[in-house]
Amino acid sequence: MNPAFKSHIENGIAEIVINKAPVNALDSVEWQALADLINATGKNLDVSVLIIRSEGRGFCAGVDIKELDQYPERIVSVNAGNYETFKAVHLCPIPVIVALHGYVLGGGIGITGAADIVVASECTTFALPEVDRGAMGGGAHLQRLFPVQKVRYLFFTGETISVQDADKYGFIERIVPKDQLRENALEIAGKIAAKSSDMIRIAKESLNGIEDGDLEAKYRWEQGFTLQAYTSPDSAETRRAFVDKRDANF
């Protein structure tokens, strides 16, 4: 088990908990390890539903910008790990519930947008600051949460949206106090786990099959532009400015 997260299975419910101080930003190895864990969990016939949640200050701050600032060549590995993680969530044979708190950024948006059910604490915020980090990607998953024009506004500006403002778009199943987040996620998971596991797995595959468009193909298209962006001096400057905790100079 990678130290950046832990897992637990009980009564047909699996939990994967991200816990990497200080902000739950995962590096290239950790993203791939998370994808492998999600895939293995989905193949476990003793599991009917998966909850993904986090400990610490927020759900997920995305990729480790400090790693990419120091080792820019690792963008290919980071891209691969992101792709495999989001794909593992979306195509997981069982329903995936995300229990969100604090910030949901970058790769956190990818996990959330790929999931089946969203539960969030009252302190949750969403943002996709890819442009400000010299990257691309995540718009496909953000578009499963918000309508097209809102996605573009959030992507172009990098602005943060509160869970209360996000709620009007309909993708959040419940907004609860933070100390009741896990309890509510487990309650929903329990309703699913009480049903026929075979029927739930068939239902998940069926529902994925009737979605409009190909989420994975859309995200791969975006990732091509991430590589293009990383060849730009402006992209390197955004990462250096982030590490130095200063405004970028263009």
Side-chain angles (χ1 to χ4, degrees):
M1 178 69 63
N2 190 290
F5 34 82
K6 57 187 178 181
S7 66
H8 173 72
I9 298 172
E10 187 175 352
N11 299 323
I13 301 170
E15 289 184 81
I16 294 176
V17 184
I18 303 170
N19 186 17
K20 184 190 177 186
V23 295
N24 287 329
L26 305 182
D27 65 26
S28 52
V29 172
E30 290 160 346
W31 277 112
Q32 186 58 59
L34 181 57
D36 293 342
L37 179 57
I38 295 168
N39 283 325
T41 303
K43 292 176 183 177
N44 186 340
L45 298 182
D46 293 328
V47 179
S48 297
V49 57
L50 168 61
I51 296 171
I52 300 177
R53 60 183 183 87
S54 296
E55 296 179 355
R57 291 158 50 186
F59 177 68
C60 180
V63 305
D64 186 344
I65 301 297
K66 292 181 179 178
E67 177 192 28
L68 290 176
D69 178 61
Q70 187 173 2
Y71 305 103
E73 71 278 4
R74 292 186 185 176
I75 183 58
V76 175
S77 297
V78 170
N79 268 356
N82 279 165
Y83 177 84
E84 292 299 333
T85 296
F86 307 159
K87 178 182 176 182
V89 173
H90 182 227
L91 300 184
C92 188
I94 55 177
V96 178
I97 301 169
V98 288
L100 310 175
H101 78 280
Y103 44 77
V104 182
L105 304 171
I109 292 288
I111 294 172
T112 302
D116 298 287
I117 298 171
V118 178
V119 182
S121 73
E122 295 166 335
C123 64
T124 305
T125 59
F126 304 89
L128 197 61
E130 305 306 276
V131 170
D132 295 330
R133 303 292 182 263
M136 296 291 135
H141 297 87
L142 195 66
Q143 205 160 289
R144 289 185 92 220
L145 309 177
F146 298 96
V148 171
Q149 280 76 20
K150 189 63 177 179
V151 168
R152 296 186 180 207
Y153 178 85
L154 292 171
F155 205 103
F156 294 151
T157 66
E159 286 185 8
T160 297
I161 182 170
S162 71
V163 71
Q164 290 79 15
D165 288 338
D167 189 39
K168 66 184 178 183
Y169 297 101
F171 68 90
I172 304 167
E173 185 60 34
R174 296 183 188 178
I175 300 175
V176 300
K178 184 180 176 182
D179 61 0
Q180 298 176 23
L181 182 62
R182 180 172 182 263
E183 171 189 339
N184 275 264
L186 285 170
E187 180 189 341
I188 295 170
K191 292 180 180 180
I192 297 171
K195 300 182 182 300
S196 162
S197 181
D198 286 346
M199 292 300 103
I200 290 297
R201 287 171 179 267
I202 291 171
K204 175 67 183 280
E205 184 176 1
S206 172
L207 290 170
N208 274 358
I210 62 171
E211 276 194 76
D212 292 332
D214 185 328
L215 181 61
E216 283 67 47
K218 290 177 182 178
Y219 184 53
R220 287 300 284 168
W221 165 265
E222 290 186 273
Q223 287 193 319
F225 290 97
T226 291
L227 290 175
Q228 179 179 332
Y230 265 70
T231 66
S232 164
D234 284 356
S235 179
E237 167 61 10
T238 60
R239 292 188 296 281
R240 174 47 39 192
F242 177 83
V243 172
D244 292 344
K245 298 181 179 180
R246 59 171 172 79
D247 292 335
N249 296 313
F250 301 120

